[in-house]
């Protein structure tokens, strides 16, 4: 329940179209009764809410720390050469909870500045959405390279912005995702190097012993697992990933 409660600020951002819709609904179906025909309607707010919920996974993937974390964990598993261990469910779950940990300051700001005043009735939905965008934009801008923002600003035909916070989400989101992909692959490259060295050493030893038919990967896997456990690899990787967002 706590994880669901923490995820509502992201849902709040997904509900932006709802605030602009009026009350009238559209006919859903009709029922013939003795008194006449009863028509049931589907309000536009409910329709927009259902649409926004379908967009929530994309918001979670593209506007949070999830992209970098899940890519690095996937590269790490491939570097270890352990096949499907850990399985995809474990990696996705680990990435989700680490994402909540990294995004907790942003979620806390959205809660205090946007949701609590809106729940108390002191501000409107549009004002709450505007306030909720600010901490999320600040987080994304901190992780996004200026060159990526410049590229997408040029593609969109923009002339630049007075301040970084003025960059619209339509430009900031693709620039943020592009920067996250580059950062994730750089981290994955650094993680890959020690394991490649172990593979090369094992392959050289096997060739010097004339054991050409033995797969170096089969021999090097226990050594890579032992090295990763001895250096407390999971703690180092998870801690470094979390710290990389607030360096």
């Amino acid at each position: 329940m706590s994880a669901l409660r923490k995820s509502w600020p992201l849902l709040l951002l997904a509900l932006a179209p709802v605030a602009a819709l009026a009350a009238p609904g559209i006919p859903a179906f009709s029922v013939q009764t003795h008194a006449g025909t009863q028509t049931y309607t589907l309000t536009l707010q409910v329709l927009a809410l259902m649409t926004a919920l379908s967009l929530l996974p994309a918001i979670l993937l593209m506007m949070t720390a999830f992209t970098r974390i899940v890519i690095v964990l996937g590269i790490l598993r491939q570097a270890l050469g352990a096949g499907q261990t850990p399985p995809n469910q474990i990696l996705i779950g680990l990435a989700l909870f680490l994402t909540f940990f990294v995004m907790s300051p942003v979620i806390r700001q959205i809660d205090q500045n946007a949701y609590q005043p809106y729940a108390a009735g002191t501000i409107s939905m549009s004002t709450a959405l505007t306030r909720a965008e600010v901490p999320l934009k600040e987080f994304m801008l901190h992780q996004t390279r200026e060159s990526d923002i410049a590229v997408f600003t040029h593609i969109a035909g923009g002339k630049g912005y007075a301040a970084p916070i003025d960059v619209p989400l339509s430009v900031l989101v693709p620039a943020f995702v592009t920067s996250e992909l580059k950062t994730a692959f750089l981290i994955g490259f650094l993680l890959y190097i020690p394991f490649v060295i172990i593979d090369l050493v094992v392959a050289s030893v096997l060739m010097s012993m004339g054991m050409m038919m033995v797969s170096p990967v089969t021999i090097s896997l226990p050594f890579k697992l032992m090295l990763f456990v001895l250096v407390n690899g999971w703690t180092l990787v998870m801690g470094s990933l979390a710290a990389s967002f607030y360096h």
Side-chain angles (χ1 to χ4, degrees), residues 169-219:
L169 289 177
S170 59
V171 173
L172 182 56
V173 171
F176 169 75
V177 174
T178 303
S179 293
E180 286 294 280
L181 289 173
K182 182 177 180 180
T183 303
F185 276 90
L186 287 174
I187 297 175
F189 170 76
L190 296 177
L191 285 174
Y192 228 108
I193 292 177
F195 301 110
V196 171
I197 293 175
I198 294 176
D199 287 334
L200 291 175
V201 171
V202 171
S204 299
V205 172
L206 291 176
M207 290 183 64
S208 64
M209 296 175 61
M211 303 174 65
M212 305 295 184
M213 303 302 294
V214 179
S215 174
V217 177
T218 304
I219 305 300

Side-chain angles (χ1 to χ4, degrees), residues 8-94:
W8 70 260
L10 300 177
L11 177 61
L12 180 65
L13 292 176
L15 299 181
V18 179
L21 296 177
I26 56 178
F29 59 92
S30 301
V31 176
Q32 196 73 27
T33 63
H34 294 289
T37 302
Q38 179 67 40
T39 302
Y40 295 89
T41 62
L42 177 66
T43 62
L44 297 181
Q45 287 90 340
V46 173
L47 185 62
L49 176 61
M50 295 170 61
T51 304
L53 287 176
S54 66
L55 296 176
L56 187 59
I59 294 175
L60 177 62
L61 291 175
M62 298 295 127
M63 301 175 66
T64 65
F66 181 83
T67 301
R68 182 189 305 184
I69 294 172
V70 75
I71 290 177
V72 170
L73 293 179
I75 293 176
L76 174 62
R77 182 177 66 178
Q78 187 174 356
L80 283 171
Q84 292 298 314
T85 304
N88 290 331
Q89 294 86 343
I90 300 298
L91 290 186
I92 297 298
L94 190 59

